[in-house]
Amino acid sequence: DEEGLTCMVCQEGYKYKPNEVMGVYVFATKLKASNVYAIEGTAPGVGDGGEASSEFPDLMDLLPSRLSSSQRNVSATLVTSVSAFNTIHLSCHDQAAKADRNLSKPKSEFEGATLRNSRCKCNSLLPINGPEVSSDAFALAIERHFGNVGGDASKFRLLLHDMRLLALRIAHQENLRDEVGGGSLSSNVKLLTYQLQLGLYLIETDHGAHVDEHVRYKLALKAFVDAGGSSHAGSSSSSSSS
Ligand SMILES: [Zn+2]
């Protein structure tokens, strides 16, 4: 029997079709020209010279209260995604979409997909990497996903904001079901974990993203992780470049 994620059409997954890219249906909504930092909640104590700010200077520098006013006014088109967590092979999705186009009453790609997605609205497939998926096939799936969702930040940044917004919406107990007509809390928490996996892939392969920004996030995270031990992470040399 297949283990783990399975395709809703052929019922197979990465065990029996290890090189077929799978994706999870998501519904991504654009937030036009948002002020990136205005959607941020303000953590108590941040920026007031508390203990944390001296321990993790690189990390603290990423927080809105520490940014200069010009940095704080950056606006970008961001995306917020939700999911009912139905997974499908991209090839099975394409075949089904082709069949939908050839119906006497043709359906658009994601009209048909909505029926396959437990009748929950969807407009893209967030790619899920598998053990034997070729990097070319995965890169195509990534391009396709970000082409569907739009937005004007780098892929990694867009994804990170998407995750942040989803976590924020979950934390504030927003009813995510209303937006797409379904999808449980666990579906959306699961989505977060696969977004994280994709984010790591984007960092490691540096897919169409801004290196400087990656380096900055990476250093900040590394400093945070390193500080878990006794040694304090040294200050990075990348802070002044951007
Ligand atoms: Zn399939």
Side-chain angles (χ1 to χ4, degrees):
D1 271 344
E2 186 56 77
E3 295 162 356
L5 302 174
T6 55
C7 169
M8 62 180 47
V9 172
C10 69
Q11 308 299 328
E12 301 196 330
Y14 279 129
K15 186 176 174 190
Y16 289 107
K17 290 185 177 169
N19 42 30
E20 284 280 326
V21 185
M22 294 182 81
V24 53
Y25 282 124
V26 294
F27 185 71
T29 309
K30 262 189 216 164
L31 302 171
K32 284 208 176 101
S34 324
N35 181 331
V36 176
Y37 298 100
I39 350 171
E40 185 81 62
T42 314
V46 162
D48 63 0
E51 212 174 283
S53 50
S54 58
E55 281 287 322
F56 312 111
D58 291 332
L59 194 66
M60 289 300 128
D61 282 347
L62 296 174
L63 293 170
S65 56
R66 289 303 191 84
L67 297 170
S68 67
S69 56
S70 64
Q71 280 175 303
R72 236 177 291 159
N73 287 328
V74 171
S75 72
T77 302
L78 300 178
V79 162
T80 173
S81 303
V82 291
S83 176
F85 215 84
N86 288 304
T87 50
I88 187 168
H89 287 118
L90 267 62
S91 56
C92 291
H93 166 85
D94 288 342
Q95 269 177 26
K98 194 179 168 193
D100 287 338
R101 274 199 306 276
N102 294 330
L103 292 171
S104 55
K105 254 180 91 183
K107 288 195 190 79
S108 71
E109 180 182 2
F110 284 101
E111 266 173 358
T114 296
L115 296 178
R116 292 189 291 283
N117 188 34
S118 325
R119 297 187 179 268
C120 300
K121 274 200 281 183
C122 56
N123 55 14
S124 192
L125 277 165
L126 182 106
I128 296 173
N129 206 2
E132 291 173 41
V133 168
S134 74
S135 54
D136 283 354
F138 201 60
L140 268 175
I142 289 174
E143 289 304 324
R144 195 170 153 178
H145 171 61
F146 285 95
N148 283 337
V149 302
D152 62 5
S154 77
K155 294 185 183 71
F156 178 70
R157 187 156 173 256
L158 208 56
L159 183 70
L160 212 60
H161 278 293
D162 196 345
M163 291 172 62
R164 183 171 73 82
L165 292 168
L166 180 56
L168 208 57
R169 296 175 74 182
I170 291 172
H172 287 281
Q173 299 181 306
E174 214 180 282
N175 189 350
L176 302 172
R177 302 177 72 95
D178 289 351
E179 190 174 327
V180 291
S184 62
L185 177 61
S186 71
S187 298
N188 283 296
V189 172
K190 249 192 208 167
L191 176 63
L192 270 176
T193 66
Y194 288 94
Q195 287 177 317
L196 193 61
Q197 189 197 59
L198 180 60
L200 186 62
Y201 183 90
L202 290 173
I203 290 180
E204 288 179 344
T205 56
D206 211 30
H207 258 288
H210 304 305
V211 177
D212 283 357
E213 195 170 37
H214 284 191
V215 171
R216 196 161 165 252
Y217 282 118
K218 231 175 171 176
L219 287 170
L221 282 170
K222 190 176 181 306
F224 181 75
V225 171
D226 287 351
S230 59
S231 67
H232 188 272
S235 61
S236 71
S237 56
S238 73
S239 53
S240 60
S241 68
S242 87

